[in-house]
């Protein structure tokens, strides 16, 4: 399979990619032809991020052992918002644009995730699941048209051989008995199509004894076509990623692309989509008072922020990165700069003098709000940044508890902080941590602690959404409590 080549070509500040084949005739895609078109650098990154969100949600579903139908429902809902892919029958004006985005975003992530065996393995698994969901949702006519195009395409590596009527009849008893669990009537057998492929292409069908084997070939009935197609998709994608990895050094000359690709791959390794804080998605009119923080922390804070809050209240001190992480979070929930100064001065108490606080801490608080220095207003940190950046040392308290706490520290903290004592619940959380899906562990904590608000296992923040930002966790918790309001509000300590 081809990979993006010549991706470093420059033209008018846009990215030029080779081998774009024009019209997209099918919604389903094996991505065998690399795109040839110009996309802006903004599209290059934003389209990839949207696809990454879908793949991250697929991984979260797999870690949480969701049934396929539940995963399919969640991914279809997320795809409708992020990576819509209409059928030919809709005749929507955006059909071509949707398929262009799907095509380009796949190849961008292919560049990002070809860099290591671990990334390639996870990318193939998630992409294969996405293809399965789309294939399962396609009509019979869509499937047949796509398969016909695959078999007739000169660039296709599909080597399925359709069994002719003569050979099929000669093998009738063996083909009928190849699947003891399904009784095939004579009329059904006459209509059934069989494909002859090397048995290594369908190992799971061989393992389950769902196919007839002869001289190294498996005879796959049409009813088992999904397994055949998915194996072909994943094996070709794996080969393509390995080929792309060898060609990747050619991109070293383009300083625009490598930071983007590195950022995307780090996000995926963290099990998260790369998502910046979007002020529009939060209640910017809410006014939080310094006095209300302790009450809000106990009811609505995610564990990373609850841990920082408790440490601050107990020791009256946080080191630099802890203060920065917590200050930006509080800013995001609606704490003004004046209230932030009041909160931090009170929290530090008698540990420091007013003069020392004003000289060493007041400036940094105002700097975080964009009122000092370069006057850049810094956004609250996402889970991806908290997990991958500014790794905490032995004496630090910032970071993600699910990533940076030992299990011997994490489990007692879950019991003490959130009252989670059920063994099954704790095993689910620690299991996700051991699999390095830290956002899944955090999402499970949200579900458990909000069960009294009607949140069930698998619901996440709503509709299966996983936690990917501390401020999103807070907003959803506040919303479920009924304390959030559409109109500007003030939350005080009352």
């Amino acid at each position: 399979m081809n990979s993006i080549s010549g991706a470093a070509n420059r033209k008018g500040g846009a990215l030029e990619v080779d081998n774009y084949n024009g019209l997209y005739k099918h919604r389903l895609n094996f991505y065998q032809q690399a795109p040839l078109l110009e996309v802006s650098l903004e599209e290059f990154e934003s389209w990839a991020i949207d696809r990454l969100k879908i793949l991250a949600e697929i991984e979260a579903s797999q870690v949480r052992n969701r049934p396929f139908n539940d995963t399919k429902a969640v991914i279809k809902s997320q795809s409708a918002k992020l990576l819509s892919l209409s059928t030919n029958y809709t005749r929507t004006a955006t059909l071509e644009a949707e398929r262009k985005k799907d095509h380009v975003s796949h190849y961008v992530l292919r560049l990002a995730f070809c860099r290591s065996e671990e990334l390639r393995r996870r990318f193939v698994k998630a992409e294969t699941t996405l293809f399965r969901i789309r294939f399962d949702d396609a009509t019979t006519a869509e499937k047949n048209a796509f398969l016909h195009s695959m078999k007739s395409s000169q660039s296709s590596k599909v080597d399925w051989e359709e069994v002719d009527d003569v050979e099929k009849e000669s093998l009738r008893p063996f083909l009928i008995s190849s699947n003891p669990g399904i009784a095939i009537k004579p009329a059904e057998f006459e209509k059934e199509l069989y494909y002859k492929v090397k048995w290594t292409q369908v190992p799971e069908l061989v393992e389950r004894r769902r196919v007839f084997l002869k001289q190294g070939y498996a005879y796959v009935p049409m009813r088992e076509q999904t397994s055949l197609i998915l194996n072909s998709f994943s094996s070709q994608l794996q080969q393509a990623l390995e080929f792309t990895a060898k060609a990747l050094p050619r991109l070293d000359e383009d300083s625009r692309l490598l930071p983007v690709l590195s950022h995307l791959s780090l996000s995926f390794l963290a099990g998260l989509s790369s998502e910046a804080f979007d002020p529009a998605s939060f209640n910017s009119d809410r006014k939080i008072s310094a006095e209300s923080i302790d009450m809000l922390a106990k009811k609505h804070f995610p564990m990373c922020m609850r841990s920082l809050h408790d440490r601050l209240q107990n020791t009256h001190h946080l080191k630099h990165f802890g203060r920065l992480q917590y200050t930006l979070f509080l800013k995001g929930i609606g704490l003004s700069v004046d209230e932030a100064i009041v909160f931090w001065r009170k929290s530090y108490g008698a540990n420091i003098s007013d003069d020392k606080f004003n000289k060493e801490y007041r400036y940094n608080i105002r700097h975080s709000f964009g009122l000092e220095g370069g006057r850049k207003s810094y956004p609250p940190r996402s889970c991806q940044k908290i997990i991958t950046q500014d790794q905490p040392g032995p004496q630090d308290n910032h970071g993600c508890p699910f990533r940076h706490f030992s299990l011997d520290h994490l489990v007692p903290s879950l019991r003490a902080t959130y009252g989670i004592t059920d063994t099954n619940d704790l095993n689910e959380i620690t299991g996700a941590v051991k699999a390095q899906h830290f956002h899944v562990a955090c999402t499970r904590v949200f579900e458990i602690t909000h069960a009294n608000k009607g949140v069930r296992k698998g619901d996440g923040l709503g509709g299966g959404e996983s936690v990917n930002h501390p401020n999103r966790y807070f907003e959803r918790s506040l919303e479920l409590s009924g304390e959030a309001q559409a109109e500007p509000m003030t939350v005080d300590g009352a």
Side-chain angles (χ1 to χ4, degrees), residues 91-371:
R91 300 192 182 278
T92 175
T94 61
L95 185 144
E96 188 75 11
E98 291 174 356
R99 296 184 183 181
K100 172 183 172 182
K101 178 180 178 179
D102 175 69
H103 195 194
V104 172
S105 64
H106 170 87
Y107 271 88
V108 175
L109 293 189
R110 185 183 292 190
L111 280 172
F113 302 146
C114 70
R115 298 171 167 225
S116 71
E117 184 177 350
E118 170 69 5
L119 279 171
R120 290 194 293 267
R121 180 188 64 79
R122 289 172 59 176
F123 182 64
V124 168
K125 186 176 182 181
E127 279 283 345
T128 302
T129 301
L130 178 59
F131 182 86
R132 180 188 175 189
I133 290 170
R134 290 172 172 177
F135 188 82
D136 190 67
D137 200 42
T139 65
T140 301
E142 279 186 296
K143 293 176 182 178
N144 290 340
F146 172 69
L147 294 178
H148 178 76
S149 71
M150 289 292 297
K151 287 183 285 185
S152 61
S153 172
Q154 293 183 352
S155 63
S156 174
K157 294 184 180 180
V158 172
D159 55 355
W160 315 329
E161 179 184 344
E162 188 173 332
V163 179
D164 60 36
D165 292 339
V166 176
E167 185 178 10
K168 176 182 171 182
E169 185 59 34
S170 69
L171 299 175
R172 174 188 283 265
F174 303 105
L175 296 177
I176 290 178
S177 62
S178 63
N179 192 343
I182 301 178
I184 302 177
K185 299 177 182 179
E188 294 174 345
F189 178 78
E190 299 297 335
K191 297 178 181 178
E192 186 70 87
L193 292 176
Y194 284 85
Y195 293 100
K196 183 164 65 174
V197 301
K198 292 181 180 179
W199 74 268
T200 52
Q201 293 190 34
V202 286
E204 76 287 348
L205 293 180
V206 174
E207 181 184 10
R208 288 153 47 200
R209 300 187 178 185
R210 302 289 289 270
V211 291
F212 170 64
L213 297 178
K214 180 182 177 182
Q215 296 179 346
Y217 286 89
Y219 289 73
V220 183
M222 178 61 76
R223 63 178 177 273
E224 300 287 359
Q225 65 176 340
T226 299
S227 294
L228 177 61
I229 294 164
L230 293 180
N231 271 284
S232 183
F233 178 89
S234 61
S235 63
Q236 291 189 42
L237 180 54
Q238 180 66 40
Q239 293 173 12
L241 287 168
E242 292 170 358
F243 179 83
T244 306
K246 295 177 182 178
L248 193 62
R250 301 175 193 171
L251 291 178
D252 286 346
E253 65 185 50
D254 196 325
S255 60
R256 303 168 303 164
L257 301 186
L258 290 181
V260 175
L261 299 177
S262 297
H263 188 59
L264 292 169
S265 59
L266 277 175
S267 300
F268 198 55
L269 281 174
L272 294 156
S273 60
S274 176
E275 184 171 32
F277 176 72
D278 180 9
S281 66
F282 299 94
N283 190 341
S284 59
D285 294 323
R286 183 185 301 120
K287 304 300 180 184
I288 302 293
S289 70
E291 294 296 326
S292 69
I293 298 300
D294 191 58
M295 177 270 293
L296 292 172
K298 293 174 181 177
K299 296 172 64 177
H300 305 301
F301 282 15
M303 193 169 186
C304 55
M305 301 305 165
R306 179 68 183 273
S307 176
L308 287 171
H309 178 80
D310 290 347
R311 179 73 175 182
L312 177 61
Q313 300 309 307
N314 292 333
T315 66
H316 304 289
H317 181 73
L318 286 178
K319 297 184 74 175
H320 170 72
F321 285 116
R323 295 196 305 272
L324 178 62
Q325 180 175 313
Y326 195 35
T327 296
L328 294 177
F329 169 79
L330 294 176
K331 170 186 172 184
I333 71 172
L335 192 70
S336 68
V337 62
D338 292 334
E339 288 294 316
I341 291 172
V342 171
F343 169 76
W344 282 102
R345 183 66 192 96
K346 180 180 178 182
S347 297
Y348 269 65
N351 277 12
I352 59 174
S353 65
D354 288 340
D355 185 58
K356 182 178 177 63
F357 178 83
N358 289 331
K359 288 181 178 179
E360 298 185 16
Y361 298 100
R362 184 187 182 93
Y363 176 89
N364 287 333
I365 295 171
R366 289 177 54 80
H367 188 275
S368 298
F369 279 78
L371 300 176

Side-chain angles (χ1 to χ4, degrees), residues 18-41:
D18 298 337
N19 299 335
Y20 176 57
N21 63 355
L23 298 176
Y24 297 97
K25 296 181 180 179
H26 304 283
R27 182 165 67 109
L28 300 170
N29 197 342
F30 260 39
Y31 307 103
Q32 293 177 311
Q33 295 292 331
L36 174 62
L37 71 159
E38 288 188 1
V39 295
S40 67
L41 289 174

